Amino acid sequence: MWADLAPIGRDAGSGGYRRFAWTEADRDCRAWFRSEAEARGLTYELDRNGNQWAWLGDPAAGDAVVTGSHLDSVPDGGAFDGPLGVVSAFAALDELRHRGVEFTRPLALTNFGDEEGARFGLACVGSRLTAGQLSKEQAYALKDGDGVSLPAAMEAAGHDPSSLGRDDERLSRIGAYVELHVEQGRALDLSGDAVGIASAIWPHGRWRFDFRGEANHAGTTRLVDRRDPMLPYAETVLAARREAELAGAVATFGKIAVEPNGVNAIPSLVRGWLDSRAPSPDDLDATVTAIEKAAREYADRHGVDLDVVRESFTPVIEFEHALRDELGRLLGGSVPVLGTGAGHDAGILSSVIPTAMLFVRNPTGVSHSPAEHAAEDDCVAGVRALADVLEGLACR
C-alpha cells in the first residue's frame, strides 16, 4: 500500500508532496482509497462533503467505530502526515482479520477531504463541514490563490457541492473515532516510546496581516519618500518570534503574497499569514495581541496601513477522557499521553462525537517537510496498537 501511494502527487524537484484538494493528485489518492476498500470487500461511500468511507458491517446500525485520517498535503509536505493514518487503518483491518476476531460493532475507515487547507486556506474543511463548524455559505466563499472557488473546484472534479453542510445522519452512525498520526514533534523520541496517546490539542488559529503602502520605482524613489510595506512586515516577522518565546507559544509567518511582486518595484501590498498556537487560550491571545500591537507600531512608523483579519480559530480541544483512558487500558497502561500543537480532524469531530488519537514516533520531529519520517518498525507498532484498540472497541 505504501509503495502504491508514494508516487502520487510527489514533486520531482523538492521530493515533497503537493496533494491539494480537488486536484489531479487528490483524485488519484481518492482512487487509491476506493480500490483498497473494494479489494477488501468493504462498502464504499463518498459523502455529501467529499469525505470517503469504507464500511465493514451495516452503516445504519449505529455506534460504529471509525478510524482513518487524510491523504492531502501541505505544499511540499512529507509522506507520513495523514497518509500514515489511512494506510494504518487498512493494515489494522488486515491484522484483525488475520487474528480471526468477530466484530460486534460496525467498522468504518475514512479519508477526510482537505484537512491541510493548502488550497483554500482553511484547515479541516471536510470534517468542519460534517461537524457543522463550516456552513455551506462559508464554504462557497472559499477561493484558492487563482480565484477558483471551492464549489467550482468540486464540480470540476466531478463532485456535486449543492448538499455541503452538517451531516447529522452520518454523525449518528458513529460511536467513536480513533485517528492514528505520525507525531509532529519529538516527545516520543525523547521518551523512547514507539506509540503514544493524545491528551489535547493546543488552541490555534490563522491571522492575515495586510500591509498597504505605495507602489513606486525601486531605483528612483528616495528612501525617505517611500511607503514600503515590506519593512513593517519584516519587523513583524521578528516580533512574532520574540513574542512567542516570551509566552511559551509558537508563531509562524509561513506564507506571503506581494503586489506587484516585481524585482524593481516597491510593493503596494504585502500580505502575510500568521499561524500561532499555545498551551492555553490566554497564552495564545497574549501572543497574537502583542504581535498585532507591534505590527501596528511598525506600520505607523513607515506610513503604511494595516488590516488584520482572523481567518480561522480552534479552541483548546481535550479528547474525551473516557475514550482516551480506554485506549490506555487496551494498550497496557504504559503508553505515554502527550499534548500537541497540531490540528487534526479528530479535534474538529470531538465537538460532536467521542474521538481519540494515537501517535507514532517521529525520530527527528520534522513534519510538513520532505524530511518527515517514521521508521518501519515504529509504523508496524502503530498498526498493531491501532488493531488492539479497534479489537477492544469493535469486537466486544
Side-chain angles (χ1 to χ4, degrees), residues 223-270:
L223 295 179
V224 71
D225 293 333
R226 298 185 181 202
R227 295 178 56 229
D228 185 350
M230 187 64 76
L231 299 176
Y233 170 74
E235 291 174 308
T236 301
V237 172
L238 299 177
R241 174 60 180 265
R242 181 179 67 248
E243 298 299 337
E245 287 180 337
L246 291 173
V250 292
T252 308
F253 278 98
K255 180 180 177 181
I256 183 174
V258 181
E259 296 178 9
N261 203 30
V263 175
N264 59 349
I266 299 167
S268 60
L269 169 69
V270 174

Side-chain angles (χ1 to χ4, degrees), residues 114-351:
D114 200 4
E115 193 271 354
E116 295 290 6
R119 183 174 181 185
F120 298 100
L122 179 65
C124 301
V125 169
S127 55
R128 284 184 193 274
L129 283 166
T130 300
Q133 293 188 18
L134 180 67
S135 69
K136 179 179 179 178
E137 293 72 24
Q138 291 169 323
Y140 268 49
L142 295 175
K143 294 183 178 180
D144 66 13
D146 295 322
V148 178
S149 69
L150 173 61
M154 284 183 162
E155 287 180 338
H159 184 75
D160 180 6
S162 62
S163 61
L164 292 180
R166 183 181 170 101
D167 195 343
D168 286 314
E169 179 184 0
R170 190 164 302 276
L171 291 171
S172 68
R173 300 176 178 180
I174 304 171
Y177 174 64
V178 180
E179 181 173 358
L180 179 145
H181 205 279
V182 67
E183 187 194 358
Q184 293 166 293
R186 291 191 58 216
L188 292 175
D189 182 59
L190 295 173
S191 70
D193 296 283
V195 178
I197 298 172
S199 60
I201 297 176
W202 285 9
H204 55 279
R206 296 178 181 181
W207 290 260
R208 192 186 77 233
F209 285 62
D210 292 347
F211 296 88
R212 300 182 185 277
E214 182 180 40
N216 216 326
H217 196 292
T220 62
T221 309
R222 297 190 310 162
L223 295 179
V224 71
D225 293 333
R226 298 185 181 202
R227 295 178 56 229
D228 185 350
M230 187 64 76
L231 299 176
Y233 170 74
E235 291 174 308
T236 301
V237 172
L238 299 177
R241 174 60 180 265
R242 181 179 67 248
E243 298 299 337
E245 287 180 337
L246 291 173
V250 292
T252 308
F253 278 98
K255 180 180 177 181
I256 183 174
V258 181
E259 296 178 9
N261 203 30
V263 175
N264 59 349
I266 299 167
S268 60
L269 169 69
V270 174
R271 174 171 287 154
W273 282 265
L274 171 70
D275 178 299
S276 189
R277 309 164 192 236
S280 74
D282 289 345
D283 291 332
L284 180 59
D285 182 65
T287 302
V288 177
T289 298
I291 295 170
E292 181 176 347
K293 180 176 182 292
R296 295 197 181 281
E297 292 175 354
Y298 299 140
D300 288 344
R301 186 182 307 163
H302 294 285
V304 169
D305 297 324
L306 171 63
D307 294 319
V308 179
V309 178
R310 189 179 79 177
E311 292 193 337
S312 68
F313 176 75
T314 303
V316 62
I317 295 168
E318 288 274 351
F319 291 109
E320 186 184 75
H321 290 197
L323 182 58
R324 185 183 70 193
D325 293 345
E326 179 68 0
L327 262 63
R329 186 189 68 79
L330 292 170
L331 296 179
S334 60
V335 177
V337 178
L338 55 145
T340 178
H344 301 281
D345 292 312
I348 299 297
L349 295 170
S350 69
S351 65

